[in-house]
Amino acid sequence: MYNPTVARLTYRALLGRRRALILGALPMLLLLIATAVRGLTGADDQIAADVLGGFALATMVPIIGVIAGTGAIGPEIDDGSVVYLLSKPVKRPTVIFTKLIVAIAVTMAFSAVPTLIAGLILNGNGQQIAVAYTVAALVASIAYAAMFLLLGTVTRHAVVFGLVYALVWEALFGSLVAGARTLSVQQWSLAVAHRVAGGDLVTSDVGLTTATVLLVVVTVLATWYAGQRLRSLTLAGEE
């Protein structure tokens, strides 16, 4: 199910000079914010939770997920090179699964690691805040990568639709409409973080069981359907 050659090509595409600079911009900003806040306010658990929840999990993780998920396959579909890739003796589910693994790894590396470092800077992991939000970032990375990889197979405007979901649906509607939070990867990952941290600093509008089921279902279905779309796209290209 995992092809090293496909993985190497995908890593090369995602970590090219321009995309790597884009991927690294938000983590650097998070670390600068964390350093400035710690210098101005000292170690404060509530402020640490606000920064990690309001910027790291709500903004940085989904945007990096959009870049990694759509970038893992979208450019190849746009320029038609995916047809040449799929003409090789590699099963199509293997291509999707490999690209998903790469997208997840890149999203985790550029979101979860900076989140942990920022949390340690902010309050030294007091009340498990840094670890809780790091776990949330890891969990969210899997679902975001699968969702946005699927978007990359169904539309040429995957980045736009991904940003609309991340910044409009989750950030805007999620803060205004209570029902929208149930369909939010951010809230699902927060449910996991709440279990890790305990207490009232990390909260979610979704229960842990519901969040876990939805995370698994969305990831599996998105990956499966991306494989189906890739199959039909290839057939259309061959015709």
Side-chain angles (χ1 to χ4, degrees), residues 36-107:
V37 169
R38 178 61 186 266
L40 292 172
T41 65
D44 186 290
D45 294 341
Q46 183 61 62
I47 292 177
D50 291 342
V51 172
L52 296 180
F55 182 79
L57 193 62
T59 302
M60 183 184 72
V61 179
I63 290 179
I64 291 176
V66 169
I67 297 171
T70 60
I73 195 168
E76 292 176 313
I77 292 177
D78 290 343
D79 63 21
S81 61
V82 71
V83 175
Y84 298 100
L85 172 63
L86 297 176
S87 66
K88 305 300 180 181
V90 181
K91 295 181 179 179
R92 292 157 191 170
T94 298
V95 173
I96 286 295
F97 184 76
T98 300
K99 288 182 173 294
L100 175 63
I101 294 299
V102 172
I104 290 173
V106 171
T107 306

Side-chain angles (χ1 to χ4, degrees), residues 189-233:
S189 60
L190 280 172
V192 180
H194 173 70
R195 180 61 178 270
V196 174
D200 299 325
L201 288 176
V202 183
T203 60
S204 173
D205 293 328
V206 182
L208 179 62
T209 301
T210 301
T212 303
V213 171
L214 289 173
L215 283 166
V216 172
V217 168
V218 166
T219 301
V220 172
L221 286 181
T223 304
W224 172 80
Y225 191 59
Q228 299 302 306
R229 289 292 303 178
L230 193 62
R231 178 178 290 110
S232 64
L233 174 69

